[in-house]
PDB file of all heavy atoms in Angstrom:
ATOM      1  N   TYR A 234      18.524 122.120  18.390  1.00  0.00           N
ATOM      2  CA  TYR A 234      18.153 120.789  18.855  1.00  0.00           C
ATOM      3  C   TYR A 234      18.628 120.594  20.288  1.00  0.00           C
ATOM      4  O   TYR A 234      19.724 120.993  20.644  1.00  0.00           O
ATOM      5  CB  TYR A 234      18.787 119.712  17.973  1.00  0.00           C
ATOM      6  CG  TYR A 234      18.312 119.742  16.548  1.00  0.00           C
ATOM      7  CD1 TYR A 234      19.000 120.446  15.580  1.00  0.00           C
ATOM      8  CD2 TYR A 234      17.169 119.061  16.170  1.00  0.00           C
ATOM      9  CE1 TYR A 234      18.572 120.478  14.268  1.00  0.00           C
ATOM     10  CE2 TYR A 234      16.719 119.084  14.864  1.00  0.00           C
ATOM     11  CZ  TYR A 234      17.422 119.795  13.917  1.00  0.00           C
ATOM     12  OH  TYR A 234      16.989 119.828  12.621  1.00  0.00           O
ATOM     13  N   ILE A 235      17.798 119.946  21.085  1.00  0.00           N
ATOM     14  CA  ILE A 235      18.156 119.595  22.455  1.00  0.00           C
ATOM     15  C   ILE A 235      18.128 118.076  22.550  1.00  0.00           C
ATOM     16  O   ILE A 235      17.146 117.442  22.168  1.00  0.00           O
ATOM     17  CB  ILE A 235      17.174 120.204  23.471  1.00  0.00           C
ATOM     18  CG1 ILE A 235      17.194 121.719  23.363  1.00  0.00           C
ATOM     19  CG2 ILE A 235      17.526 119.757  24.885  1.00  0.00           C
ATOM     20  CD1 ILE A 235      16.136 122.395  24.202  1.00  0.00           C
ATOM     21  N   ILE A 236      19.219 117.496  23.046  1.00  0.00           N
ATOM     22  CA  ILE A 236      19.310 116.052  23.216  1.00  0.00           C
ATOM     23  C   ILE A 236      19.257 115.746  24.703  1.00  0.00           C
ATOM     24  O   ILE A 236      20.035 116.283  25.485  1.00  0.00           O
ATOM     25  CB  ILE A 236      20.616 115.496  22.619  1.00  0.00           C
ATOM     26  CG1 ILE A 236      20.701 115.817  21.135  1.00  0.00           C
ATOM     27  CG2 ILE A 236      20.710 113.993  22.855  1.00  0.00           C
ATOM     28  CD1 ILE A 236      22.010 115.444  20.507  1.00  0.00           C
ATOM     29  N   ASN A 237      18.330 114.870  25.073  1.00  0.00           N
ATOM     30  CA  ASN A 237      18.190 114.414  26.446  1.00  0.00           C
ATOM     31  C   ASN A 237      18.301 112.901  26.412  1.00  0.00           C
ATOM     32  O   ASN A 237      17.521 112.235  25.736  1.00  0.00           O
ATOM     33  CB  ASN A 237      16.838 114.853  27.011  1.00  0.00           C
ATOM     34  CG  ASN A 237      16.712 114.571  28.475  1.00  0.00           C
ATOM     35  OD1 ASN A 237      17.632 114.093  29.113  1.00  0.00           O
ATOM     36  ND2 ASN A 237      15.547 114.869  29.022  1.00  0.00           N
ATOM     37  N   ALA A 238      19.281 112.339  27.124  1.00  0.00           N
ATOM     38  CA  ALA A 238      19.508 110.905  27.078  1.00  0.00           C
ATOM     39  C   ALA A 238      19.897 110.384  28.454  1.00  0.00           C
ATOM     40  O   ALA A 238      20.356 111.133  29.315  1.00  0.00           O
ATOM     41  CB  ALA A 238      20.610 110.581  26.076  1.00  0.00           C
ATOM     42  N   ILE A 239      19.700 109.079  28.625  1.00  0.00           N
ATOM     43  CA  ILE A 239      20.087 108.402  29.860  1.00  0.00           C
ATOM     44  C   ILE A 239      21.151 107.382  29.515  1.00  0.00           C
ATOM     45  O   ILE A 239      21.014 106.622  28.554  1.00  0.00           O
ATOM     46  CB  ILE A 239      18.882 107.729  30.525  1.00  0.00           C
ATOM     47  CG1 ILE A 239      17.870 108.803  30.921  1.00  0.00           C
ATOM     48  CG2 ILE A 239      19.304 106.916  31.745  1.00  0.00           C
ATOM     49  CD1 ILE A 239      16.595 108.266  31.502  1.00  0.00           C
ATOM     50  N   GLY A 240      22.221 107.376  30.304  1.00  0.00           N
ATOM     51  CA  GLY A 240      23.319 106.453  30.079  1.00  0.00           C
ATOM     52  C   GLY A 240      23.091 105.116  30.743  1.00  0.00           C
ATOM     53  O   GLY A 240      22.213 104.954  31.592  1.00  0.00           O
ATOM     54  N   LYS A 241      23.898 104.137  30.365  1.00  0.00           N
ATOM     55  CA  LYS A 241      23.783 102.782  30.898  1.00  0.00           C
ATOM     56  C   LYS A 241      24.118 102.715  32.378  1.00  0.00           C
ATOM     57  O   LYS A 241      23.640 101.844  33.084  1.00  0.00           O
ATOM     58  CB  LYS A 241      24.673 101.837  30.105  1.00  0.00           C
ATOM     59  CG  LYS A 241      24.191 101.643  28.685  1.00  0.00           C
ATOM     60  CD  LYS A 241      25.078 100.707  27.912  1.00  0.00           C
ATOM     61  CE  LYS A 241      24.549 100.559  26.489  1.00  0.00           C
ATOM     62  NZ  LYS A 241      25.436  99.740  25.657  1.00  0.00           N
ATOM     63  N   GLY A 242      24.925 103.641  32.858  1.00  0.00           N
ATOM     64  CA  GLY A 242      25.278 103.685  34.268  1.00  0.00           C
ATOM     65  C   GLY A 242      24.367 104.585  35.086  1.00  0.00           C
ATOM     66  O   GLY A 242      24.649 104.883  36.238  1.00  0.00           O
ATOM     67  N   GLY A 243      23.270 105.077  34.491  1.00  0.00           N
ATOM     68  CA  GLY A 243      22.340 105.948  35.188  1.00  0.00           C
ATOM     69  C   GLY A 243      22.645 107.426  35.002  1.00  0.00           C
ATOM     70  O   GLY A 243      21.989 108.274  35.600  1.00  0.00           O
ATOM     71  N   GLU A 244      23.626 107.758  34.162  1.00  0.00           N
ATOM     72  CA  GLU A 244      23.961 109.154  33.923  1.00  0.00           C
ATOM     73  C   GLU A 244      22.857 109.814  33.098  1.00  0.00           C
ATOM     74  O   GLU A 244      22.172 109.178  32.322  1.00  0.00           O
ATOM     75  CB  GLU A 244      25.270 109.298  33.150  1.00  0.00           C
ATOM     76  CG  GLU A 244      26.449 108.606  33.748  1.00  0.00           C
ATOM     77  CD  GLU A 244      26.633 107.187  33.223  1.00  0.00           C
ATOM     78  OE1 GLU A 244      25.728 106.688  32.533  1.00  0.00           O
ATOM     79  OE2 GLU A 244      27.659 106.592  33.537  1.00  0.00           O
ATOM     80  N   THR A 245      22.717 111.105  33.274  1.00  0.00           N
ATOM     81  CA  THR A 245      21.783 111.886  32.470  1.00  0.00           C
ATOM     82  C   THR A 245      22.592 112.835  31.600  1.00  0.00           C
ATOM     83  O   THR A 245      23.450 113.557  32.090  1.00  0.00           O
ATOM     84  CB  THR A 245      20.831 112.701  33.368  1.00  0.00           C
ATOM     85  OG1 THR A 245      20.133 111.794  34.222  1.00  0.00           O
ATOM     86  CG2 THR A 245      19.830 113.475  32.549  1.00  0.00           C
ATOM     87  N   TYR A 246      22.298 112.814  30.314  1.00  0.00           N
ATOM     88  CA  TYR A 246      22.986 113.677  29.348  1.00  0.00           C
ATOM     89  C   TYR A 246      22.001 114.712  28.826  1.00  0.00           C
ATOM     90  O   TYR A 246      20.887 114.382  28.436  1.00  0.00           O
ATOM     91  CB  TYR A 246      23.516 112.863  28.165  1.00  0.00           C
ATOM     92  CG  TYR A 246      24.573 111.863  28.539  1.00  0.00           C
ATOM     93  CD1 TYR A 246      24.249 110.549  28.825  1.00  0.00           C
ATOM     94  CD2 TYR A 246      25.911 112.235  28.595  1.00  0.00           C
ATOM     95  CE1 TYR A 246      25.220 109.624  29.154  1.00  0.00           C
ATOM     96  CE2 TYR A 246      26.896 111.319  28.924  1.00  0.00           C
ATOM     97  CZ  TYR A 246      26.533 110.015  29.205  1.00  0.00           C
ATOM     98  OH  TYR A 246      27.498 109.103  29.538  1.00  0.00           O
ATOM     99  N   LEU A 247      22.410 115.951  28.815  1.00  0.00           N
ATOM    100  CA  LEU A 247      21.636 117.034  28.239  1.00  0.00           C
ATOM    101  C   LEU A 247      22.608 117.895  27.448  1.00  0.00           C
ATOM    102  O   LEU A 247      23.561 118.439  28.001  1.00  0.00           O
ATOM    103  CB  LEU A 247      20.948 117.879  29.316  1.00  0.00           C
ATOM    104  CG  LEU A 247      20.143 119.063  28.821  1.00  0.00           C
ATOM    105  CD1 LEU A 247      18.941 118.591  28.005  1.00  0.00           C
ATOM    106  CD2 LEU A 247      19.677 119.909  29.973  1.00  0.00           C
ATOM    107  N   THR A 248      22.375 118.012  26.150  1.00  0.00           N
ATOM    108  CA  THR A 248      23.272 118.788  25.307  1.00  0.00           C
ATOM    109  C   THR A 248      22.476 119.521  24.231  1.00  0.00           C
ATOM    110  O   THR A 248      21.324 119.179  23.973  1.00  0.00           O
ATOM    111  CB  THR A 248      24.367 117.902  24.681  1.00  0.00           C
ATOM    112  OG1 THR A 248      25.314 118.721  24.023  1.00  0.00           O
ATOM    113  CG2 THR A 248      23.774 116.913  23.716  1.00  0.00           C
ATOM    114  N   HIS A 249      23.090 120.512  23.648  1.00  0.00           N
ATOM    115  CA  HIS A 249      22.458 121.337  22.619  1.00  0.00           C
ATOM    116  C   HIS A 249      23.282 121.256  21.347  1.00  0.00           C
ATOM    117  O   HIS A 249      24.506 121.249  21.402  1.00  0.00           O
ATOM    118  CB  HIS A 249      22.394 122.800  23.072  1.00  0.00           C
ATOM    119  CG  HIS A 249      21.732 122.975  24.395  1.00  0.00           C
ATOM    120  ND1 HIS A 249      20.380 123.069  24.521  1.00  0.00           N
ATOM    121  CD2 HIS A 249      22.241 123.066  25.649  1.00  0.00           C
ATOM    122  CE1 HIS A 249      20.076 123.212  25.800  1.00  0.00           C
ATOM    123  NE2 HIS A 249      21.193 123.210  26.509  1.00  0.00           N
ATOM    124  N   CYS A 250      22.599 121.212  20.200  1.00  0.00           N
ATOM    125  CA  CYS A 250      23.278 121.158  18.906  1.00  0.00           C
ATOM    126  C   CYS A 250      22.648 122.169  17.956  1.00  0.00           C
ATOM    127  O   CYS A 250      21.475 122.512  18.092  1.00  0.00           O
ATOM    128  CB  CYS A 250      23.180 119.771  18.294  1.00  0.00           C
ATOM    129  SG  CYS A 250      23.993 118.502  19.270  1.00  0.00           S
ATOM    130  N   GLN A 251      23.432 122.607  16.977  1.00  0.00           N
ATOM    131  CA  GLN A 251      22.974 123.607  16.016  1.00  0.00           C
ATOM    132  C   GLN A 251      22.282 122.996  14.804  1.00  0.00           C
ATOM    133  O   GLN A 251      21.381 123.586  14.248  1.00  0.00           O
ATOM    134  CB  GLN A 251      24.153 124.446  15.526  1.00  0.00           C
ATOM    135  CG  GLN A 251      24.806 125.268  16.614  1.00  0.00           C
ATOM    136  CD  GLN A 251      23.893 126.324  17.156  1.00  0.00           C
ATOM    137  OE1 GLN A 251      23.131 126.909  16.416  1.00  0.00           O
ATOM    138  NE2 GLN A 251      23.950 126.565  18.450  1.00  0.00           N
TER     139      GLN A 251
END
Side-chain angles (χ1 to χ4, degrees):
Y234 297 93
I235 299 173
I236 301 174
N237 188 3
I239 297 176
K241 292 180 180 175
E244 306 92 350
T245 302
Y246 296 94
L247 178 66
T248 188
H249 306 275
C250 297
Q251 296 295 323

